[in-house]
Amino acid sequence: MGLEKADEDELYEAMDWLVSKQELIENELAKTHLTEGALVLYDVSSTYFEGTQCPLARYGYNRDKKKGFLQIVFGLLCDNRGCPIAAEVFEGNSSDTTITSQIQKVRHRFGIQQVVLVGDRGMITNTRIFAEFQPVEGLDWITALRASQIRKLVEQEAVQLSLFDETDLVEFSCSDYPGERLIACRNPFLAEEKALTRVALLQATEQELNLIVTATLREKRALKGADQIGLRVGRFLHSYMSG
């Protein structure tokens, strides 16, 4: 473009111009990369804000672990390859309800009526599925179940763990999820990691409990009484649960 250098003002002017063209650019990207029945990926993140003048900056769930800082939330909409189609910035205390505006954007602004929206379990919840997804014809979704929901399926024997002896991927159904297609996958790497973590926690637990036993047997200032021993064990268990 024949540019040798640009100062801050020129860069900000370029960004202002880009913002003024954002909707036009997004519409063209959607026209090029999205078709009826498209798989659309959506997720949000946040970034903390150093100043105080941003009209969208709010206190909220801080993914940067920066306590006491204002933040903004931003969402990115992509096609099935991960190619960005649209971006939007929200107030810093916005929750995962931002997905509602993305549904409207895809269906009304981009004109895609048949769409499969992919989002995480915090974004596509059962409540939102019943209220916003199922009533809309042509709107499907892909998400993940929470650990408690998966555990319940195993307890109900809707999916049997023995099936994973022969395959890593199982498709099944359950009356708790009418009309939904459930797929379970066994990740051997994650299983190995969890097994190692379990062994490490058991070893740490045994070591700490042995220290408590030793404290009850020492000659001076021995730890005595069920209440005192219980408090010591409770502090130890709380430290692991809170960590």
Side-chain angles (χ1 to χ4, degrees):
M1 299 178 64
L3 295 176
E4 295 183 1
K5 63 178 182 178
D7 61 23
E8 292 87 347
D9 291 336
E10 290 169 324
L11 292 174
Y12 280 123
E13 288 176 3
M15 292 173 66
D16 288 340
W17 175 89
L18 188 61
V19 168
S20 69
K21 305 294 183 182
Q22 179 179 351
E23 186 169 319
L24 176 63
I25 294 171
E26 291 177 347
N27 290 345
E28 288 299 318
L29 286 171
K31 186 185 301 182
T32 302
H33 298 290
L34 298 182
T35 58
E36 289 294 332
L39 199 69
V40 177
L41 318 180
Y42 180 69
D43 200 4
V44 298
S45 189
S46 62
T47 184
Y48 70 96
F49 192 79
E50 293 283 1
T52 59
Q53 300 304 311
C54 176
L56 296 177
R58 300 285 190 279
Y59 292 108
Y61 171 63
N62 197 302
R63 297 167 177 82
D64 298 314
K65 308 302 180 184
K66 295 283 187 178
K67 294 183 178 179
F69 283 89
L70 297 169
Q71 67 173 21
I72 56 173
V73 171
F74 52 91
L76 184 63
L77 194 73
C78 301
D79 69 3
N80 63 344
R81 301 166 300 163
C83 174
I85 302 297
E88 189 169 348
V89 182
F90 305 92
E91 292 181 345
N93 57 358
S94 299
S95 66
D96 289 331
T97 55
T98 61
I99 196 171
T100 303
S101 65
Q102 306 309 303
I103 295 172
Q104 300 297 319
K105 182 184 297 181
V106 171
R107 292 176 61 85
H108 298 295
R109 177 142 73 85
F110 298 159
I112 306 295
Q113 299 304 307
Q114 300 285 333
V115 62
V116 181
L117 198 60
V118 182
D120 63 31
R121 69 195 77 192
M123 190 177 302
I124 304 181
T125 61
N126 279 344
T127 301
R128 186 159 293 119
I129 287 173
F130 294 137
E132 301 180 30
F133 283 73
Q134 288 185 343
V136 180
E137 184 177 354
L139 178 60
D140 292 311
W141 64 93
I142 296 176
T143 189
L145 296 178
R146 297 181 182 276
S148 58
Q149 295 172 307
I150 297 172
R151 190 178 302 113
K152 183 179 178 182
L153 289 171
V154 173
E155 293 172 352
Q156 293 175 339
E157 297 187 349
V159 57
Q160 298 181 8
L161 297 182
S162 60
L163 294 173
F164 296 109
D165 295 338
E166 301 178 1
T167 180
D168 289 336
L169 199 65
V170 175
E171 179 180 347
F172 63 102
S173 60
C174 178
S175 58
D176 290 346
Y177 304 91
E180 297 186 43
R181 179 186 181 195
L182 302 177
I183 297 176
C185 175
R186 180 183 182 276
N187 186 331
F189 302 104
L190 183 60
E192 182 180 1
E193 179 183 335
K194 286 185 175 295
L196 293 174
T197 300
R198 181 174 182 273
V199 170
L201 288 174
L202 287 173
Q203 291 175 344
T205 300
E206 184 177 2
Q207 182 179 358
E208 185 66 25
L209 291 177
N210 284 337
L211 291 176
I212 295 176
V213 171
T214 301
T216 63
L217 299 175
R218 62 195 177 199
E219 293 183 2
K220 296 182 179 180
R221 300 175 62 185
L223 183 65
K224 296 181 179 180
D227 54 344
Q228 294 299 317
I229 296 173
L231 286 173
R232 180 77 176 269
V233 173
R235 284 199 300 269
F236 161 68
L237 294 177
H238 177 72
S239 67
Y240 270 85
M241 293 175 65
S242 61

